[in-house]
Amino acid sequence: MATTVSDRPGYGQLLRTPGAWTFLLPGFAARQPFAMLTIGIVLLVQHTTGSYGSAGAVAAVSGVSMALFAPQSGKLADRFGQRSVLLPGVLLHAVSVSALTVLALADAPLWALFAAAVPTGASIPQIGPMVRARWAALLGATPDRPASPLMSTAAAFESVTDEFTFVLGPVIATALCTGVHPAAGLITEAALTLVGGLFFAAQRATQPVPRGAATATEPHASALSVPGVRVLAITFLGIGAVFGGMQVSLTAFSEEIGHPGVNGVLYGIFAAGNMLAGIACGAIAWKSSPRRRLIVGYVALTLTASGLWAIHSVPLLAGLGLLVGLCIAPALISGYTLVESLVPATARTEAFTWLTGAVALGQAAAVTVAGQLADAHGASTGFLVPLAGTALALVTLLALRSRLTPRSSGRTVARGIGHREPVTVD
């Protein structure tokens, strides 16, 4: 399946890619607020309303709005350039977050908070997908060269970066909201988004060539017209169900046993498993195809998630949570790697945002369902959500795995983007 090779291109060579650091550093700063937003909303709205239910609902509206609007942002970035989308986007986001903060502090009615949450979520800058699109532009296949073996390493690196963001961001937001002011988390999120987004947008040399300025005559079809992208989106919905179900269920479990402080430890172990697996995936010279790795990884994820509901002790839950985390990164990385071979360069940012949006949508749905199950029947029932989400997605993945067929040279798998039949590649 895989071997480690000392002279294989790895993280060191990846980070020596010309131009990489010009977008990695501002990209990391700009994506950090993404992980601060949900917890910042929850802590502020709970403080002003006294209701976790209302706080979670406002955060869920923001998450759903992001999932629905992110692909449109990606499509616009592919067509007009990342800078053209980022500049108005970060300004709108800063204004929207400020409005939500002012309304919450003014004890505005819940409907007003919902109304402010819509543009707040819709305007979240899609920095992660944009960074992945830049890696694909630097390392992906072109008419003059084959794809670099560093593509999988870049996907692994981005997965680790995302997970580190989701470990660090909530900690920063929580510390600001509890130690400074309940609104400090959201205010900092808006400021970091604005500053980081503007610096990232300024790095024009590494952004992919906008489709509107390209000389190619490909029709401007949506990335979602690629059958494989639709399969991956459903697959990533299941991964989002794991994230959302784990967040709520671990919190409920910790409170149920009378040790709420254990929640941070348990979720940290789960996140650490994801990070470790991501690092390992980038250090392995894979001989199997990304499609096969995705299927194997997803089967393992579903099997490990199936036992969460039956665990009632902290050590066992920590151990199984670690295994679940270890299985997430290979599935995510394989899915993102497949995008380069499935989707034309002119639609990759949009494709990445569909996958990111699918995770957010699955997470929002899982938070809602798992919370209701935990309230009504106990914490253990909330863990059924990751099982159900991954199982349904796995059935879809296995049934439609032939759609994850990489494009051969000069061909695409999307109706309306290319006109030849795809060649099946394992």
Side-chain angles (χ1 to χ4, degrees), residues 12-74:
Q13 185 169 342
L14 177 72
L15 296 178
R16 290 194 296 272
T17 301
W21 283 104
T22 63
F23 65 84
L24 283 181
L25 290 178
F28 179 78
R31 77 170 71 182
Q32 191 64 49
F34 180 74
M36 301 171 62
L37 183 63
T38 298
I39 188 65
I41 291 174
V42 168
L43 292 175
L44 175 60
V45 176
Q46 192 279 330
H47 172 78
T48 58
T49 66
S51 169
Y52 278 106
S54 297
V58 175
V61 168
S62 176
V64 171
S65 178
M66 191 279 280
L68 294 177
F69 283 91
Q72 307 311 314
S73 171

Side-chain angles (χ1 to χ4, degrees), residues 335-348:
Y336 280 124
T337 302
L338 277 167
V339 169
E340 193 278 330
S341 59
L342 290 170
V343 182
T346 53
R348 282 182 191 146

Side-chain angles (χ1 to χ4, degrees), residues 238 298 301-303 305-306 385-398:
Y298 218 87
L301 176 60
T302 304
L303 289 175
S306 67
V385 173
L387 167 59
T390 53
L392 291 173
L394 177 60
V395 170
T396 302
L397 173 62
L398 293 176

Side-chain angles (χ1 to χ4, degrees), residues 136 140-143 147 218 226-229 337-348 402-415 417-426:
T142 69
E218 292 179 331
V226 180
V229 173
T337 302
L338 277 167
V339 169
E340 193 278 330
S341 59
L342 290 170
V343 182
T346 53
R348 282 182 191 146
S402 62
R403 306 285 181 89
L404 301 176
T405 302
R407 297 179 296 126
S408 61
S409 178
R411 302 182 181 184
T412 70
V413 296
R415 183 177 299 174
I417 294 179
H419 301 285
R420 302 182 185 180
E421 292 298 316
V423 175
T424 301
V425 180
D426 186 35

Side-chain angles (χ1 to χ4, degrees), residues 23 129-142 145 147-148 151 154 206 208 336 339-340 343 345 348-349 352:
F23 65 84
M130 289 182 179
V131 170
R132 286 183 167 90
R134 293 190 184 217
W135 280 124
L138 289 174
L139 305 173
T142 69
R145 67 161 195 261
S148 167
M151 277 298 300
T206 54
Y336 280 124
V339 169
E340 193 278 330
V343 182
R348 282 182 191 146
T349 304
F352 287 130

